[in-house]
Amino acid sequence: MSLLRIAGRPLLASMFIAGGMNSLRNPQAVAPVAESVVRPATERISALPDDTEQLVRLNGAVQVVGGVLLGLGRFPRLSALALAATLVPTTLAAHRYWEVEDPSGRAQQRIHFFKNMSMLGGLLITADDTGSAPSLLWRGRHAARDLRHDARLVRRSVRATARPAAAIGGGRAKLGV
């Protein structure tokens, strides 16, 4: 594993662990802000709980677990996808800069919004990173290619040995042996 992955994953994960712990410990502080995203989500997805504080805690728990796993390098692709899934509603709820009237407040929220978008980009890159190991799709394609190649070699060798064997067999039949 490269030094960049060893250092980069925990750095990327640190914000999610800190933010997730805050959401777990103090969901009532985040719930009013999250309400604008929670209501439409719970109306569309019946499996989600209706209580905003429960969803904030659930989001925080996913961020903590995903952040720890990403930081440790365990299931980095899956944990990056889970963190990306939590980052979208978090960003849409907390950093709605287009709704802020105050110019300085709007600028601050815009900075946070695009910071989160940058983190989302990093998570998507991490989710696609195979860690220098070939992906399952690549392995499958190459295994199939290798099988086709081996089958052609077997077919050629069978043809190459079949002709002389047939000639010898035909010669023996003519001789009556």
Side-chain angles (χ1 to χ4, degrees):
M1 181 181 297
S2 77
L3 183 59
L4 292 176
R5 282 187 190 93
I6 292 171
R9 286 178 180 161
L11 290 173
L12 183 58
S14 64
M15 184 65 185
F16 294 98
I17 296 169
M21 288 301 294
N22 184 46
S23 294
L24 281 172
R25 289 181 182 151
N26 193 10
Q28 60 275 12
V30 182
V33 176
E35 190 70 32
S36 63
V37 173
V38 168
R39 284 296 146 225
T42 55
E43 289 172 4
R44 290 187 180 112
I45 305 168
S46 61
L48 292 176
D50 289 334
D51 184 31
T52 303
E53 286 187 22
Q54 278 184 320
L55 279 174
V56 167
R57 277 195 176 109
L58 178 63
N59 191 53
V62 171
Q63 286 182 344
V64 170
V65 171
V68 168
L69 289 174
L70 181 62
L72 294 175
R74 298 287 183 203
F75 307 108
R77 297 175 77 188
L78 181 62
S79 58
L81 279 176
L83 290 172
T86 67
L87 188 59
V88 171
T90 299
T91 302
L92 290 176
H95 305 298
R96 302 169 75 88
Y97 70 90
W98 53 91
E99 293 177 352
V100 178
E101 298 295 326
D102 177 46
S104 65
R106 177 181 284 235
Q108 284 291 25
Q109 288 304 317
R110 187 180 311 119
I111 288 169
H112 289 298
F113 179 86
F114 286 109
K115 172 202 46 114
N116 282 12
M117 290 297 99
S118 298
M119 289 177 16
L120 179 62
L123 288 169
L124 294 176
I125 290 169
T126 302
D128 189 46
D129 180 26
T130 60
S132 299
S135 68
L136 292 176
L137 181 62
W138 185 91
R139 291 178 194 179
R141 286 180 182 161
H142 280 76
R145 187 197 67 185
D146 292 344
L147 284 173
R148 285 191 303 270
H149 181 262
D150 292 347
R152 280 192 294 270
L153 287 176
V154 168
R155 187 173 54 236
R156 286 183 190 154
S157 66
V158 166
R159 285 181 184 163
T161 56
R163 286 187 186 120
I168 291 172
R172 285 185 155 179
K174 288 180 185 178
L175 294 174
V177 182

